[in-house]
Amino acid sequence: MKIIVPVKRVVDYNVKIRVKPDGSGVDTINVKMSMNPFDEIAVEEAIRLKEAGHADEVIAVSIGPAKAQETLRTALAMGADRAILYKTDLPIEPLAVAKILKAAVEKEKPGLVILGKQAIDDDSNQTGQMLAALLNRPQATFAFKVSPQGETVEVVREVDGGLQTLALRLPAIVTVDLRINQPRYASLPNIMKAKKKPLEEIDAASLGIDIEPKVKVLKTAEPPTRKAGVKLKTAAELVDKLRTEAGVLQ
Ligand code: AMP
């Protein structure tokens, strides 16, 4: 079985986000970019499934600009076998990503597509679900454990107040949650080896798929700055403030 893992290049999670002065979006010029953290978890899960004998090949796929090659090389250094970049410089929405991933699935015929539950830049949490709908295949979101068993895969999901176990017929779409594993670091020898692994580049426009943005962003704004705190000398002062200013106490 092949596993496809879609990986997105996003602003590194340690970077303090700056909104563009005109509010049209987030500033990405001279900003450190990395693989979406949930996608690192998805790559790790796919590699572990391969190591456990459930898969023969892990294919990392990214949709984005030429620079997304770096993200794919990271996936290859972690242990993916090969990579495909669907190159586009257009801003790309989850539906367009899902349509391109559908084309990748039709080309590669994987048993599993393992995605992150969400990309931390847009926090959409849509792509996996849309891909499952477009392919008319079963999906399990927020996965905590993934166990392929012959023609099916058992997925334990994190749901409100507990865990839910599903059995899906393969091929299936799974999106992973935070606690499923701890992704490995790519070692230096593996980073070197990754440079020689195959990375195919396909012009997204050549697929003949409509990937024009359908959603208009009206405004992007930074969260309001927090008001400065005050230091109080006594508990009585605190009780008084809670009563008079915060309205917490009667
Ligand atoms: P989202 O629906 O945008 O929150 O993203 C959910 C998941 O879809 C991510 O964790 C990735 O696995 C995948 N994904 C989203 N955008 C891309 C992209 N441009 N290239 C590859 N994978 C993507």
Side-chain angles (χ1 to χ4, degrees), residues 6-8 36 39 61-63 97 115-116 118-119 124-127:
V7 295
K8 186 176 187 188
N36 178 40
D39 302 349
V61 174
S62 196
I63 295 120
V97 173
L115 305 90
Q118 76 194 66
S124 296
N125 184 312
Q126 295 172 1
T127 308

Side-chain angles (χ1 to χ4, degrees), residues 145-200:
K145 194 160 182 251
V146 180
S147 321
Q149 299 169 358
E151 299 295 296
T152 60
V153 60
E154 195 176 282
V155 181
V156 181
R157 305 179 57 230
E158 289 197 33
V159 292
D160 268 358
L163 299 171
Q164 180 192 54
T165 305
L166 300 179
L168 314 181
R169 197 164 293 139
L170 296 172
I173 315 300
V174 174
T175 75
V176 292
D177 213 324
L178 193 63
R179 283 162 285 270
I180 189 169
N181 63 45
Q182 181 72 42
R184 68 194 69 188
Y185 288 106
S187 66
L188 192 57
N190 286 343
I191 293 173
M192 300 312 287
K193 272 191 225 152
K195 293 187 179 167
K196 297 209 178 87
K197 290 188 180 176
L199 195 163
E200 185 184 356

